[in-house]
Amino acid sequence: MADDRLIIAGREFKSRLWVGTGKYKDFAETKKAIEVSGADVVTVAVRRVNITDRSKENLLDYIDPKKYTILPNTAGCYTVEDAVRYSRLARAAGVSDLVKLEVLGDERTLFPDTAGLIEAAKILVKEGFIVLPYTNDDPIVAQKLVDVGCPAVMPLAAPIGSGLGIRNPYNLKIIMEMIKVPIIVDAGVGTASDAAFAMELGADAVLMNTAIAGAQDPIAMAEAMNYAVQAGRLAYKAGRIPRRLYATASSPIEGML
Amino acid sequence: MQDAIHIHVNGEARTWRSGATVTELLQDLDIRTERVAVELNLEILDRATFDQRSLKDGDRIEILWFIGGGSL
């Protein structure tokens, strides 16, 4: 699938699997899982440097920003002000103008505050950020995010870290049909079939973290997700057969005794 | 210590020497300047100005970098 590239805001991506870097045992495991997943976009969070224990290594000592596209997120932000502040800090840290924008509405579900999300996106687009918003599976909100200048939209499949899989394939399908920018299904994937399903629906990419990092064998799951996303994409492009209620024989009747 | 100043670094109270620059603070804390973001009294600093900005009493400094994260 060498010619099947994903392009967002003029940037070309090789992999349609994007991965997070949280919840791993250590940086070595993070690095290995990302390598095996084949992902070329990795999300990171922005946090305080530990000034009392300086022995800690930095994630970017393991994940080379020359090799991977680093996608800073605004995880943990519940207000427009915080999300904008963290985005600016991420850019000041000097890896890119990209931001995975999250404005969360509630701690228990981690569902997005979509009104806040649109407002924050508007501000950041004006400041020159490439804003990739984590949003609900709501086609109208997705369109509003595009209208304010987001070059891709990232609707959830299910709550972050829930592993519930694609809970509303019909809404996701509507988003994919209505919205004319790349759609990256973000959050909620539990296992390889969920990722393949998202791609079969027509997603341009899938972003996940917990499904890999939280698996009993994260490295093996990273490999499974790599295949699942490729298989799902191929199946989508191949075009599946229509569903029929009754059988259609695949062996000819002619020539039978 | 007559020219000592009291500042907050990442929320922790610290006593520092007056006139020290942001670059010197980062060096003293053994933090490499590349890939960190510094916020001084809520103003995000341009990396190029780290060695021109000196600290004064009461300053609140935040030093941030990237850590592992997906969504949270």
Side-chain angles (χ1 to χ4, degrees):
Chain A
M1 291 197 291
D3 57 340
D4 186 32
R5 297 288 172 99
L6 170 61
I7 296 169
I8 296 171
R11 290 160 196 241
E12 205 172 279
F13 303 100
K14 287 195 300 286
S15 173
R16 288 174 183 274
L17 172 59
W18 294 11
V19 296
T21 52
K23 298 185 179 175
Y24 285 98
K25 187 177 72 196
D26 51 35
F27 286 147
E29 189 185 63
T30 315
K31 181 184 161 84
K32 180 76 180 157
I34 293 169
E35 278 170 7
V36 170
S37 77
D40 60 353
V41 179
V42 299
T43 65
V44 298
V46 183
R47 292 293 181 268
R48 280 174 165 166
V49 173
N50 185 338
I51 59 165
T52 44
D53 175 15
R54 296 294 309 116
S55 62
K56 282 196 174 171
E57 291 169 291
N58 179 233
L59 175 68
L60 296 188
D61 294 332
Y62 285 80
I63 313 297
D64 183 358
K66 290 190 200 78
K67 202 170 148 196
Y68 296 98
T69 298
I70 306 295
L71 177 56
N73 65 31
T74 61
C77 293
Y78 286 84
T79 63
V80 172
E81 292 71 27
D82 272 354
V84 168
R85 184 186 184 193
Y86 274 80
S87 300
R88 290 172 179 157
L89 283 163
R91 180 156 75 175
V95 293
S96 78
D97 295 339
L98 290 164
V99 64
K100 179 192 160 187
L101 182 63
E102 296 183 25
V103 181
L104 302 173
D106 166 59
E107 281 182 33
R108 197 164 170 212
T109 59
L110 297 178
F111 280 142
D113 168 357
T114 51
L117 184 67
I118 295 165
E119 196 183 330
K122 206 170 175 177
I123 294 168
L124 292 167
V125 166
K126 279 196 186 124
E127 294 183 15
F129 283 89
I130 296 167
V131 180
L132 309 180
Y134 158 71
T135 184
N136 229 317
D137 55 7
D138 180 336
I140 306 304
V141 171
Q143 185 58 54
K144 287 186 177 183
L145 288 163
V146 174
D147 292 344
V148 300
C150 297
V153 177
M154 310 212 289
L156 53 80
I160 292 169
S162 69
L164 288 172
I166 315 290
R167 293 202 311 176
N168 196 340
Y170 304 104
N171 266 36
L172 287 178
K173 189 73 193 167
I174 291 169
I175 290 175
M176 285 158 200
E177 289 197 5
M178 270 179 56
I179 307 299
K180 302 302 173 202
V181 299
I183 303 300
I184 299 149
V185 171
D186 175 17
V189 163
T191 187
S193 52
D194 296 335
F197 185 30
M199 295 306 293
E200 285 167 8
L201 282 172
D204 293 280
V206 179
L207 197 163
M208 66 182 75
N209 189 157
T210 309
I212 297 175
Q216 288 187 30
D217 183 343
I219 310 300
M221 189 57 91
E223 189 175 8
M225 292 299 186
N226 186 349
Y227 293 136
V229 168
Q230 291 192 52
R233 177 69 183 170
L234 276 171
Y236 170 72
K237 292 189 82 178
R240 59 154 300 147
I241 60 162
R243 290 177 175 85
R244 292 190 183 92
L245 191 54
Y246 295 99
T248 45
S250 42
S251 306
I253 306 294
E254 213 177 69
M256 286 191 77
L257 296 177
Chain B
M1 290 294 281
Q2 64 178 44
D3 56 355
I5 53 169
H6 300 284
I7 59 174
H8 278 84
V9 184
N10 287 4
E12 289 181 28
R14 294 275 176 133
T15 304
W16 221 259
R17 58 180 190 284
S18 179
T21 65
V22 170
T23 301
E24 286 164 346
L25 173 72
L26 292 172
Q27 278 167 357
D28 290 347
L29 291 170
D30 195 22
I31 296 168
R32 284 177 293 159
T33 53
E34 74 266 19
R35 292 175 199 155
V36 294
V38 177
E39 200 184 64
L40 177 58
N41 303 324
L42 299 180
E43 176 200 352
I44 297 171
L45 301 185
D46 183 334
R47 182 179 310 278
T49 67
F50 283 1
D51 52 4
Q52 291 147 33
R53 299 296 293 259
S54 49
L55 304 173
K56 60 181 193 315
D57 199 50
D59 276 349
R60 303 188 79 90
I61 298 156
E62 296 290 346
I63 306 165
L64 299 100
W65 66 358
F66 296 118
I67 65 151
S71 305
L72 202 73

